[in-house]
């Protein structure tokens, strides 16, 4: 006889004829019908047993709403991976604060997320291996161990015992993080391998477009995934696409993906192995390609010649095609129909001027100074501090050449460069403020180098350059609070001497006066 809430019994309830029929037909159906009566009671028990947390971060508990649908293992891995990584970090923070109740509750939740990731990925993925199975087992064992040891910590009051147990929890958490990282990397590697195989084997435009789009989305998740893609042949497969005329409409997408992959050294190494620089040169110099395609090729060039990547200094194949690439990039700057195209082309030129000094001489021969300075007055092409940063970088690197000064004066360049000393951010975002700071600093460096030529120095004085420099030194807000800009402005004063008193001392006097005020 089954007891019900209120002390009633099952035999005291009159059952409908339909209910009696279900009892005779199927026990599962009967259970489902009885569940209507049991659910409310069960929910009440759960609610009564669950404490309402007073923690200030209780609202920040991570909940993964609506898992990915069938056939979306990559999205599943990325979502679950982000949640678990965040939980691991937060558990470490609570552990450092000795907040054992939160550590335990978050450990239980972490175990649920890990179990869900393993089971859901196994359900949607066609790829599985013995190695992955072993890591999954180790991961779940460590999750269970973490939950158990944190639960025991809740019952301990002795501080010395807790201290020793804390070290144990920390070690367990560290091992769990390692197993999770290994499992996630292995799973993502398998998915990347599948995508690369599809791109490599496909002769269908729509399949290749979809798969390349998925690969590009992965590159936006950070450098670790870019390394996996490069290692698993992503660069090779994408250049194969860029060498087939049937996929010409997919060149921009493939090149954009390549630019993202080449933010890591492994991507640049793979590009070198497949003669990628030669392919980029062919695209840039072929006017039959769309402007969008050539702009994306310029973006790849900008990425592989980045001064932040030490490996770019060993791109031997780049030297062979540099003249062709530089010529094509100058032409692209001159004919650019939008600010984005000009930014990509000028960024590539700016990085190349760091890459090799011969590039500056090539730019001088190609009248690049005129092209760049004319673009400064075209708001359609140059309308952000990021673009002006690229222009002034090129001018600063070219200004080491003696013959550069006459071209600057001829194109009214001194006045334009002085205008860059007044660069101000519009939005106030950290990125834009940093870009404005770079523009001011590089403009000052350019003027300092050019002022070795007496004609440039006289022109700078005629345009009241000195008063602007004093203002920059006296007012931190005018130079975006940058000490680098201050030092660059002082360097100009060393070059421009128009009185018997040293201009540097004069500038320092005004700077001290401004600080004391």
């Amino acid at each position: 006889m089954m007891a019900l809430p209120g002390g009633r019994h099952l035999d005291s309830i009159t059952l409908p004829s339909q209910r009696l029929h279900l009892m005779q037909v199927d026990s599962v159906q009967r259970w489902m019908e009885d569940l209507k009566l049991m659910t409310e009671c069960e929910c009440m028990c759960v609610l009564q047993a669950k404490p309402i947390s007073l923690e200030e971060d209780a609202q920040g508990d991570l909940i993964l709403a609506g898992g990915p649908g069938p056939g979306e293992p990559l999205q599943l891995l990325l979502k679950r991976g982000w949640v678990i990584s965040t939980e691991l970090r937060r558990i470490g923070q609570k552990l450092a604060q000795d907040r054992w109740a939160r550590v335990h509750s978050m450990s239980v939740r972490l175990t649920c997320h890990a179990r869900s990731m393993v089971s859901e990925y196994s359900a949607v993925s066609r790829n599985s291996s013995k190695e992955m199975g072993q890591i999954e087992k180790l991961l779940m064992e460590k999750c269970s161990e973490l939950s158990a040891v944190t639960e025991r910590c809740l019952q301990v009051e002795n501080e010395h015992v807790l201290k020793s147990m804390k070290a144990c929890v920390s070690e367990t958490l560290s091992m769990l993080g390692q197993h999770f990282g290994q499992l996630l990397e292995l799973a993502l590697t398998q998915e990347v391998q599948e995508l690369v195989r599809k791109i490599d084997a496909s002769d269908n435009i729509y399949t290749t477009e979809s798969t390349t789009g998925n690969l590009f989305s992965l590159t936006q998740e950070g450098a670790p995934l870019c390394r996996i893609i490069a290692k698993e042949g992503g660069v090779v497969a994408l250049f194969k696409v860029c060498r087939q005329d049937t996929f010409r409409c997919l060149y921009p997408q493939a090149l954009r993906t390549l630019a993202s992959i080449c933010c890591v050294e492994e991507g640049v190494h793979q590009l070198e192995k497949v003669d990628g620089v030669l392919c980029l040169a062919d695209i840039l110099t072929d006017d039959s390609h769309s402007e969008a395609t050539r702009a994306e090729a310029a973006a790849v060039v900008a990425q592989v010649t980045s001064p932040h990547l030490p490996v770019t200094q060993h791109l031997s194949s780049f030297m062979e095609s540099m003249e062709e690439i530089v010529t094509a990039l100058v032409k692209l700057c001159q004919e650019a129909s939008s600010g984005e195209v000009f930014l990509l082309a000028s960024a590539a030129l700016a990085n190349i001027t760091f890459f090799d000094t011969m590039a500056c001489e090539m730019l001088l021969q190609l009248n690049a100074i005129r092209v760049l300075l004319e673009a400064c007055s075209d708001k359609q092409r140059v309308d952000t501090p990021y673009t002006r940063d690229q222009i002034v970088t090129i001018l600063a690197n070219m200004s080491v050449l003696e013959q550069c000064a006459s071209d600057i004066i001829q194109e009214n360049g001194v006045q334009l460069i002085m205008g860059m000393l007044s660069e101000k951010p519009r939005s106030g975002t950290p990125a834009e403020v940093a870009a404005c700071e770079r523009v001011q600093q590089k403009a000052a460096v350019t003027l300092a180098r050019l002022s070795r030529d007496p004609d440039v120095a006289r022109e700078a004085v005629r345009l009241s350059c000195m008063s602007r420099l004093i203002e920059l030194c006296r007012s931190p807000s005018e130079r975006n609070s940058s000490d680098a800009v201050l030092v660059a402005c002082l360097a100009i004063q060393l070059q421009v001497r128009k009185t018997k008193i040293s201009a540097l001392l004069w500038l320092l006097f005004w700077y001290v006066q401004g600080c004391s005020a």
Side-chain angles (χ1 to χ4, degrees):
M1 187 179 299
M2 186 187 302
L4 292 175
R8 295 176 295 173
H9 300 283
L10 188 58
D11 58 354
S12 67
I13 299 178
T14 303
L15 297 173
S17 57
Q18 182 184 7
R19 182 96 185 273
L20 288 170
H21 175 69
L22 285 174
M23 290 173 64
Q24 297 172 357
V25 174
D26 191 339
S27 60
V28 175
Q29 289 182 348
R30 178 188 172 186
W31 172 78
M32 292 178 68
E33 184 69 16
D34 287 340
L35 195 60
K36 296 177 182 179
L37 299 174
M38 298 165 59
T39 302
E40 184 178 356
C41 179
E42 183 178 333
C43 288
M44 288 300 296
C45 290
V46 171
L47 286 173
Q48 290 169 3
K50 183 177 180 180
I52 299 177
S53 176
L54 297 178
E55 302 275 355
E56 67 277 6
D57 57 349
Q59 296 297 324
D61 289 350
L62 297 170
I63 300 174
L64 187 65
E72 298 179 18
L74 273 173
Q75 290 303 314
L76 167 67
L77 286 171
L78 293 174
K79 284 185 177 181
R80 288 287 184 192
W82 178 81
V83 170
I84 293 174
S85 297
T86 305
E87 288 284 13
L88 284 168
R89 177 179 54 81
R90 291 176 61 187
I91 291 174
Q93 292 173 349
K94 303 307 174 193
L95 180 62
Q97 299 168 2
D98 294 330
R99 296 166 66 177
W100 293 105
R102 288 295 288 165
V103 169
H104 175 61
S105 63
M106 293 171 73
S107 298
V108 172
R109 189 166 60 246
L110 175 67
T111 302
C112 294
H113 284 308
R115 186 179 293 111
S116 296
M117 185 184 80
V118 170
S119 61
E120 290 172 6
Y121 180 68
S122 299
V124 299
S125 175
R126 294 182 296 272
N127 301 322
S128 186
S129 65
K130 185 177 179 181
E131 183 183 3
M132 182 173 287
Q134 292 173 344
I135 298 176
E136 288 174 358
K137 183 180 178 181
L138 290 172
L139 174 65
M140 296 315 303
E141 286 177 354
K142 285 297 175 184
C143 284
S144 300
E145 183 181 333
L146 182 66
S147 298
V149 71
T150 54
E151 185 176 11
R152 289 198 302 272
C153 289
L154 290 175
Q155 313 302 323
V156 177
E157 296 182 358
N158 188 301
E159 292 185 5
H160 294 292
V161 176
L162 268 178
K163 188 174 182 180
S164 62
M165 294 184 74
K166 183 177 180 179
C168 177
V169 172
S170 181
E171 184 180 352
T172 304
L173 191 64
S174 177
M175 290 300 298
L176 194 157
Q178 289 182 27
H179 293 321
F180 167 69
Q182 291 171 355
L183 178 62
L184 188 61
E185 182 177 356
L186 187 59
L188 287 171
T189 298
Q190 291 185 354
E191 295 304 321
V192 167
Q193 288 173 345
E194 182 64 23
L195 287 176
V196 171
R197 276 196 294 269
K198 283 184 180 179
I199 294 174
D200 199 42
S202 175
D203 56 0
N204 182 281
I205 289 179
Y206 301 106
T207 301
T208 305
E209 181 181 17
S210 173
T211 310
T212 304
N214 290 336
L215 206 60
F216 175 74
S217 298
L218 282 181
T219 64
Q220 303 309 293
E221 297 297 329
L225 266 168
C226 290
R227 291 189 183 93
I228 292 175
I229 295 171
K231 179 183 175 183
E232 299 304 325
V235 174
V236 178
L238 289 168
F239 269 113
K240 182 179 178 181
V241 171
C242 292
R243 287 187 168 105
Q244 297 183 57
D245 286 338
T246 53
F247 291 141
R248 282 176 79 95
C249 61
L250 300 182
Y251 283 10
Q253 186 184 45
L255 290 165
R256 192 178 306 120
T257 308
L258 280 167
S260 297
I261 299 172
C262 289
C263 71
V264 296
E265 292 185 21
E266 292 82 355
V268 180
H269 282 305
Q270 292 298 316
L271 178 141
E272 176 84 350
K273 287 181 180 178
V274 296
D275 291 329
V277 173
L278 184 60
C279 180
L280 294 172
D282 290 340
I283 292 173
L284 283 167
T285 55
D286 187 349
D287 290 337
S288 68
H289 287 296
S290 66
E291 183 186 68
T293 299
R294 287 179 287 136
E296 295 297 345
V300 182
V301 173
Q303 189 64 70
V304 300
T305 55
S306 171
H308 301 296
L309 289 176
V311 68
T312 59
Q313 299 301 321
H314 305 290
L315 273 175
S316 57
S317 60
F318 188 84
M319 299 301 297
E320 300 171 7
S321 306
M322 187 168 70
E323 186 173 358
E324 293 178 351
I325 291 174
V326 169
T327 303
L329 289 172
V330 172
K331 183 180 180 182
L332 188 57
C333 284
Q334 189 171 17
E335 299 174 352
S337 63
S338 67
E340 183 180 0
V341 173
F342 186 90
L343 175 61
L344 294 173
S346 59
L349 285 173
N351 285 350
I352 292 173
T353 59
F354 284 110
F355 186 78
D356 192 89
T357 53
M358 285 177 55
C360 295
E361 297 176 1
M362 292 180 188
L363 288 172
L364 202 61
Q365 295 171 3
L366 293 167
N367 294 320
I369 291 177
R370 178 179 57 79
V371 172
L372 295 173
L373 294 178
E374 283 181 355
C376 288
S377 58
D378 183 359
K379 296 299 181 183
Q380 187 175 356
R381 287 186 290 170
V382 181
D383 59 345
T384 67
Y386 307 106
T387 309
R388 283 185 281 273
D389 182 21
Q390 307 309 321
I391 293 174
V392 75
T393 298
I394 298 170
L395 295 176
N397 288 337
M398 290 183 67
S399 62
V400 298
L401 303 175
E402 292 183 3
Q403 56 267 45
C404 177
S406 59
D407 287 8
I408 292 283
I409 294 176
Q410 185 177 350
E411 299 297 335
N412 196 28
V414 176
Q415 185 171 356
L416 284 169
I417 296 170
M418 278 186 58
M420 293 180 182
L421 291 173
S422 301
E423 190 74 32
K424 287 286 186 181
R426 296 177 185 174
S427 64
T429 61
E432 190 173 2
V433 170
C436 291
E437 178 185 330
R438 291 194 300 272
V439 171
Q440 286 185 317
Q441 180 189 4
K442 292 172 184 176
V445 169
T446 306
L447 285 173
R449 290 176 177 175
L450 291 173
S451 294
R452 293 172 303 181
D453 187 298
D455 293 334
V456 174
R458 282 192 291 270
E459 180 70 5
V461 171
R462 187 184 69 81
L463 294 169
S464 302
C465 177
M466 302 294 284
S467 60
R468 177 56 185 161
L469 293 173
I470 291 173
E471 186 180 13
L472 284 168
C473 291
R474 292 184 64 181
S475 176
S477 61
E478 287 294 317
R479 62 175 189 271
N480 298 302
S481 301
S482 169
D483 290 337
V485 175
L486 171 62
V487 172
C489 290
L490 292 172
I492 301 178
Q493 292 282 359
L494 281 172
Q495 293 292 337
V496 184
R497 299 187 184 94
K498 301 305 294 183
T499 63
K500 294 181 180 179
I501 303 174
S502 168
L504 177 59
L505 294 176
W506 179 252
L507 184 61
L508 285 173
F509 167 76
W510 279 108
Y511 177 61
V512 171
Q513 289 291 97
C515 290
S516 61

